[in-house]
Amino acid sequence: MKRIIIGKSIANKVMMVSVIFRTTKPCGGGVSTVLECYDRYFDGLRHIPTWKYTNPLNKAWYFFYHWVELVFLLIFDRRLKIVHIHTAAGSSFKRKMIMAKTARTFGKKVILHMHAADFVEFYETASDKDKIINNIKACDILIVLSPQWKDFFVKIGIGEKNIIILNNIVTPPSEEVLKKRIIQSPNIQPQLRFLFLGWLGKRKGIWDLLDVIVTHHENLKGRFMLRFGGNEFENEIKKLIKDNNLEDVVQFEGWVNGEKKVELLEWANCFILPSYNEGLPISILEAMSYGMPVVSTPVGGITEVVKNGENGVIVEPGNKEQIWNALKHYLDNPEAIAVEGRKSLDIVRSYTPDFVLNDLKKIYEDLL
């Protein structure tokens, strides 16, 4: 039975605007996962998608079609009071500002929920910085994922009183699943089972990780396995694995979601995401909710949840020697996996639905 945290009296008055999320195909990564989680605890989550994974012409048509849908609802649906917009940087931000301006034209409250990992780069290289700032200021609330991101937006001129930190959200596995996890069986081989989930471009650090595995292949044989999922660059990934005979230490899973993602989370006992920039990755929170230590980088809000030496290892972006030392830490100290994993479980509790959605409910109530 569905457990409701945000009831119909509020849910009816809120329209989410984001990437598509009710799909099994490659979509919006962590933002889609956030919306999937929200959907489980809203009594009828209302949603308009503005982007899906397709060719540029279809993307433009898809956005226009759903912009018209929003206009129609703003005119005729008197229940609608708040438009809650989830955005990234770049073209995502530009699309969402069209939706925000449209909502304001009809007198609706607008929440801008910032998920961008690369917003700093987007802003610093923009020729229209004043326009970006004015668009954000025009929204009633800016939601960010960590104190570091709040500091950044205050620094560029967004009023502190209009910025709210709201933790990203993760649905934890059941206690039964946690008890049954393979991590509880030390005789399972290989003992070190790493998982990576994310887009396969340079930003997430997967190529650095694979370079480390190529370099230290002999040391990893029989002791280590990396399974990883994502999309884009699939042919290049497969070629690298084949050319370097990595099949005994690396397993590429393609695009991962649904039951396949759950299977991987239950299989793994460590998580790695050596990113160059981030907001606060849902994939890290998911791994922590399964009791895993995490190897990642000090970017975005990651150090809010990954504490070096407590529930993981922090490495500098692009530093392959540090990535290797992090892997070696768990190879040489397998007992640290369970100890640090329990610390992850403690930290991640404030990112579960009961905490996050009650905070979001108060944001809505204050705006209504």
Side-chain angles (χ1 to χ4, degrees), residues 59-74:
K59 285 178 184 176
W61 166 249
Y62 191 80
F63 172 75
F64 176 73
Y65 176 88
H66 289 289
W67 175 78
V68 172
E69 179 186 9
L70 177 64
V71 171
F72 182 87
L73 289 168
L74 291 169

Side-chain angles (χ1 to χ4, degrees), residues 22-88:
R22 295 181 177 116
T23 177
T24 59
K25 297 180 180 180
C27 49
V31 179
S32 297
T33 304
V34 168
L35 270 292
E36 287 170 1
C37 189
Y38 283 5
D39 197 27
R40 296 187 185 104
Y41 301 95
F42 272 64
D43 190 2
L45 185 142
R46 307 181 69 192
H47 177 250
I48 290 178
T50 60
W51 183 91
K52 68 176 180 178
Y53 194 73
T54 183
N55 64 64
L57 184 61
N58 281 342
K59 285 178 184 176
W61 166 249
Y62 191 80
F63 172 75
F64 176 73
Y65 176 88
H66 289 289
W67 175 78
V68 172
E69 179 186 9
L70 177 64
V71 171
F72 182 87
L73 289 168
L74 291 169
I75 294 172
F76 295 105
D77 189 341
R78 296 185 180 277
R79 299 172 300 171
L80 185 53
K81 305 297 181 185
I82 298 172
V83 178
H84 183 165
I85 299 173
H86 299 260
T87 188

Side-chain angles (χ1 to χ4, degrees), residues 184-200:
Q184 305 297 335
S185 305
N187 295 325
I188 298 294
Q189 296 297 325
Q191 195 165 14
L192 193 58
R193 301 182 296 279
F194 262 93
L195 176 64
F196 171 103
L197 296 173
W199 298 88
L200 300 180

Side-chain angles (χ1 to χ4, degrees), residues 327-347:
L327 299 185
K328 196 169 183 298
H329 164 68
Y330 294 108
L331 285 168
D332 295 343
N333 304 282
E335 69 281 357
I337 296 172
V339 174
E340 295 181 18
R342 286 193 290 272
K343 182 65 175 178
S344 283
L345 287 173
D346 291 338
I347 293 171

Side-chain angles (χ1 to χ4, degrees), residues 65-132:
Y65 176 88
H66 289 289
W67 175 78
V68 172
E69 179 186 9
L70 177 64
V71 171
F72 182 87
L73 289 168
L74 291 169
I75 294 172
F76 295 105
D77 189 341
R78 296 185 180 277
R79 299 172 300 171
L80 185 53
K81 305 297 181 185
I82 298 172
V83 178
H84 183 165
I85 299 173
H86 299 260
T87 188
S91 57
S92 171
F93 182 80
K94 294 173 183 178
R95 287 192 303 270
K96 301 304 171 44
M97 291 306 96
I98 294 172
M99 304 297 266
K101 185 175 182 179
T102 302
R104 291 195 303 271
T105 299
F106 287 88
K108 308 305 178 184
K109 300 289 187 179
V110 175
I111 297 172
L112 185 64
H113 197 149
M114 182 61 66
H115 296 269
D118 54 349
F119 196 89
V120 174
E121 292 82 354
F122 167 66
Y123 176 77
E124 289 181 347
T125 59
S127 59
D128 55 349
K129 291 182 174 64
D130 288 343
K131 183 178 179 181
I132 292 171

